[in-house]
Amino acid sequence: MIDLHSHTNESDGTASPLELVELALERGVEALAISDHDTFAGYDEALPEARTRGLDLVCGIELSTRVPSGKSQSGHLLGYFLHQPATAEFRAWLDELIEGRRDRNRRLIASLRDKGVDIELPEVERLGRTLTGRPHFARVLINKGYAANFDEAFRRYLGETAPTYVERYAPYVAEAIERVRNAGGLPVLAHPIRLGIRDPNAEEAFIRELRDAGLRGIEVFHSDHRPADMERYGAIARKYNLLVTGGSDFHGENKPQISLGTGMRGNLNIPLTVLNDLRAHS
Ligand code: AMP
Ligand code: FE
Ligand code: FE
Ligand code: ZN
């Protein structure tokens, strides 16, 4: 069993990189990708420990992008096997994305304060390391009694449909695909179900467009995918010659219903052959 999608506390997970390596070994995960949002810091920190302990650690990253289709108009792109250390160009781009988060975070604070929420940026930033994301805001809102749990914090304050929601800068998905490829990586569409494209024909057409823009794979196996979704995405991958990936999207205590390796209610058991196939094509 392998897991190619996980987050450490360098982005918006709660496990430190070392704890994540430990957990992977405990749970019998044969290969683990750390795919933090916008940073390699978690992967870099975990690598020596993984080598010592005999865990096959894969370098990944997850980027939030604008998509010209779907209900949410946003989609996540995973990148695997980027040249390490990453090119100066790619690292400079990540710095820009993190600066875009800072700008969003300042506007989000203003928006929340406008609605009478007593919250200040430093108390949120204290919970983050390389970056501060909405899950850190959720944690503060819960601690201060504004929400009972993450769901409520996103529904009332942080999610796309909340009155206090603010957008952050995101590159178009085609640009992100190109940048991952230029940095030597394999661009993969993360959890396609979250694009929210209801019509299967429109969904397939959109994935084909991404393939034409340079996409190399799709995340067929994911905690949010039902068996029928995995089947549909598997068929699309075969039809368009896209590589298949999969992972739990583990975020630690920030998404307690997701387990490393086995996903949501045990819906994942991804074989090592998936990784071998990826490597053969990287
Ligand atoms: P950000 O990248 O800072 O805009 O925050 C997005 C992150 O918030 C996602 O990667 C998820 O980890 C998390 N997230 C988004 N929606 C929810 C939700 N409804 N409940 C819990 N976590 C969420
Ligand atoms: Fe996240
Ligand atoms: Fe994601
Ligand atoms: Zn993720």
Side-chain angles (χ1 to χ4, degrees):
M1 180 233 300
I2 64 168
D3 192 328
L4 300 180
H5 192 157
S6 71
H7 297 267
T8 74
N9 63 357
E10 291 295 340
S11 69
D12 60 0
T14 57
S16 72
L18 299 189
E19 287 165 349
L20 197 57
V21 169
E22 182 67 45
L23 186 63
L25 291 163
E26 253 172 47
R27 295 189 53 89
V29 173
E30 298 162 89
L32 173 75
I34 290 180
S35 56
D36 274 320
H37 303 280
D38 305 346
T39 178
F40 294 114
Y43 169 80
D44 290 343
E45 196 184 325
L47 188 58
E49 178 76 1
R51 285 203 171 128
T52 309
R53 308 281 303 274
L55 173 69
D56 185 358
L57 189 72
V58 173
C59 179
I61 194 150
E62 185 173 26
L63 304 160
S64 301
T65 70
R66 288 177 68 171
V67 300
S69 178
K71 192 164 150 250
S72 75
Q73 304 276 301
S74 83
H76 289 178
L77 187 77
L78 289 158
Y80 291 107
F81 312 120
L82 282 81
H83 293 316
Q84 291 296 314
T87 62
E89 190 184 359
F90 195 82
R91 280 181 286 129
W93 187 56
L94 293 183
D95 288 341
E96 278 176 41
L97 298 180
I98 287 178
E99 186 50 45
R101 287 178 171 278
R102 287 199 195 96
D103 172 61
R104 184 274 310 268
N105 292 345
R106 287 189 286 263
R107 288 183 288 112
L108 181 53
I109 288 285
S111 166
L112 290 166
R113 292 184 63 86
D114 234 35
K115 285 276 191 290
V117 178
D118 171 32
I119 189 170
E120 297 192 65
L121 192 50
E123 63 183 326
V124 188
E125 285 180 334
R126 255 199 307 278
L127 302 182
R129 291 170 65 86
T130 299
L131 55 85
T132 304
R134 281 182 287 164
H136 301 112
F137 281 80
R139 182 74 61 195
V140 171
L141 292 170
I142 294 166
N143 289 345
K144 293 186 133 182
Y146 288 104
N149 50 45
F150 271 75
D151 263 1
E152 192 185 345
F154 275 87
R155 198 158 23 83
R156 291 185 62 182
Y157 298 106
L158 306 170
E160 281 178 37
T161 55
T164 42
Y165 174 74
V166 301
E167 254 181 62
R168 74 177 160 95
Y169 166 74
Y172 278 106
V173 62
E175 179 189 349
I177 287 171
E178 192 180 330
R179 285 189 184 267
V180 167
R181 290 184 68 127
N182 288 345
L186 283 183
V188 171
L189 178 63
H191 41 66
I193 194 75
R194 290 213 206 134
L195 292 168
I197 307 177
R198 287 278 184 80
D199 171 15
N201 293 319
E203 185 184 51
E204 181 174 329
F206 178 67
I207 293 171
R208 188 182 56 226
E209 271 175 43
L210 293 185
R211 196 269 322 257
D212 293 344
L215 189 76
R216 295 289 310 280
I218 63 178
E219 192 173 46
V220 169
F221 307 109
H222 186 272
S223 295
D224 287 356
H225 291 175
R226 296 165 307 161
D229 301 321
M230 301 189 204
E231 249 176 62
R232 188 170 74 258
Y233 297 133
I236 291 176
R238 280 191 296 278
K239 183 167 173 185
Y240 294 104
N241 203 16
L242 289 162
L243 293 161
V244 170
T245 76
S248 64
D249 214 349
F250 181 75
H251 281 72
E253 291 310 309
N254 284 345
K255 293 188 181 175
Q257 67 282 18
I258 293 175
S259 300
L260 193 68
T262 53
M264 189 114 65
R265 288 185 226 98
N267 72 334
L268 300 178
N269 185 2
I270 303 161
L272 187 57
T273 50
V274 164
L275 177 59
N276 293 339
D277 203 39
L278 270 186
R279 281 209 167 109
H281 292 88
S282 69

